[in-house]
Amino acid sequence: GMIKRIFADIVLFFCVFFAPWYAAVIFAVVFVFIFRNFWEIIIAGFFLDVLYSVSGSVIQGGFGFFFFLSLILFLATEKIKKQIRLKT
């Protein structure tokens, strides 16, 4: 339980700071499906914006792109998980 989540957090934030951005995104997507309420994805999205954003609008990869992407992914997966639990 908790040890696996802490390990996932370490892996995710290691990828955010030391791996290419797409490695962090891949791990974030996997972890948000595995763990319940994986709000760490939103923090990771913010740090990815700090490190990789360019000047311009959010749609063009500007600041907020990864944050909003992670927020939408978090909310969507939590809703899908709730619907799956209700059907089972």
Side-chain angles (χ1 to χ4, degrees), residues 37-61:
N37 293 325
F38 194 70
W39 54 266
E40 295 94 324
I41 190 173
I42 299 168
I43 297 168
F46 173 77
F47 281 116
L48 285 171
D49 276 332
V50 169
L51 295 170
Y52 294 108
S53 65
V54 295
S55 61
S57 71
V58 172
I59 296 170
Q60 297 169 327

Side-chain angles (χ1 to χ4, degrees), residues 15-16 19-26 48 52 65-66 69:
C15 287
V16 166
W21 66 267
Y22 50 84
V25 170
I26 291 169
L48 285 171
Y52 294 108
F65 176 78
F66 289 109
L69 184 68

Side-chain angles (χ1 to χ4, degrees), residues 32 37-39 41-42 67-82:
V32 79
N37 293 325
F38 194 70
W39 54 266
I41 190 173
I42 299 168
F67 175 78
F68 287 117
L69 184 68
S70 64
L71 183 63
I72 290 167
L73 183 63
F74 174 79
L75 294 173
T77 55
E78 289 303 313
K79 184 174 182 177
I80 290 168
K81 287 184 213 178
K82 284 180 186 175

